[in-house]
Amino acid sequence: MHEEGNTRPLASKAPLAEVGCAVFDAPAPVGPIWLAWVPAGLAVLHFGPDAPEADRARFWPEGEGLAPGDVPPALRARLTRYFDGEDEDPADWPVRIGGTAFQGRAWKALRRVPRGDVRTYAGLARDVGSPRAMRAIGMAMNANPVAIAVPCHRIVGAGRTLGGFGGGPDRKRFLLELEGARVDGDRVLMGQLDLL
């Protein structure tokens, strides 16, 4: 499956650079994030200063041999607004990602979870029409090539526990709190949930 664009209208009129990659220095505990893009949108957003070669080859084949450059101004502005705590929802950013049909449905459903809200694995499984597929939802989150833009940090475990996150619990807690969710230890507090 090849997924073009995102599930919401694009807000930016400024296109991304043709094809490129760069490192954006986010505040701690997030730290540097490696970005890769094509004209349709982000293809990889990886925690750390470089993406594993397997991710580059799978999710960004157009970038073979390209050296890191500068983050396009429109994308830099969005990242800066987001990490400054402004009303910027990364689920609105354009993405170009590919995966299985199930992963595509899970990622689209996740991009509909609003900033400041969370969803359980079971809730997202129901959203995609597979109510018993909690484990498959977890696997789809683990395979997500564009963390933050496909906001897998908004998925929590049963009982409102933080659950897993490829970027680690400190990053997950930071991102949720940045977006307005209240977190106490390893639990997201009531009043911040979309757990229908």
Side-chain angles (χ1 to χ4, degrees):
M1 179 185 131
H2 181 71
E3 193 65 38
E4 298 265 12
N6 67 5
T7 59
R8 301 179 186 193
L10 302 182
S12 175
K13 295 179 183 171
L16 293 177
E18 189 65 26
V19 174
C21 64
V23 174
F24 180 85
D25 289 317
V30 174
I33 52 178
W34 190 86
L35 309 163
W37 59 86
V38 296
L42 280 171
V44 181
L45 191 156
H46 176 77
F47 295 113
D50 200 9
E53 286 299 320
D55 285 355
R56 289 181 186 219
R58 179 173 176 207
F59 298 113
W60 190 58
E62 306 90 342
E64 179 81 27
L66 283 182
D70 294 324
V71 178
L75 180 55
R76 177 173 293 284
R78 286 177 163 193
L79 287 159
T80 300
R81 284 192 303 269
Y82 177 70
F83 285 110
D84 283 349
E86 296 179 25
D87 189 20
E88 174 73 36
D89 191 347
D92 291 334
W93 300 348
V95 297
R96 195 293 309 267
I97 53 178
T100 66
F102 182 83
Q103 288 171 337
R105 289 194 316 273
W107 294 336
K108 280 184 178 183
L110 180 57
R111 294 192 87 196
R112 289 190 292 268
V113 175
R115 177 188 165 110
D117 286 344
V118 295
R119 195 84 169 123
T120 63
Y121 292 93
L124 196 61
R126 284 191 305 271
D127 291 347
V128 300
S130 299
R132 295 184 181 184
M134 286 85 70
R135 186 175 305 251
I137 290 292
M139 292 171 60
M141 298 305 105
N142 189 49
N144 174 13
V146 284
I148 302 176
V150 173
C152 51
H153 58 278
R154 296 179 188 169
I155 296 295
V156 296
R160 301 178 314 277
T161 59
L162 282 180
F165 182 60
D170 292 339
R171 284 187 180 118
K172 183 170 187 170
R173 186 177 298 104
F174 174 84
L175 294 171
L176 287 171
E177 289 175 341
L178 179 71
E179 294 180 354
R182 292 182 17 217
V183 182
D184 183 21
D186 71 341
R187 299 178 80 80
V188 178
L189 300 179
M190 291 297 289
Q192 304 296 315
L193 302 178
D194 182 23
L195 298 175
L196 300 175

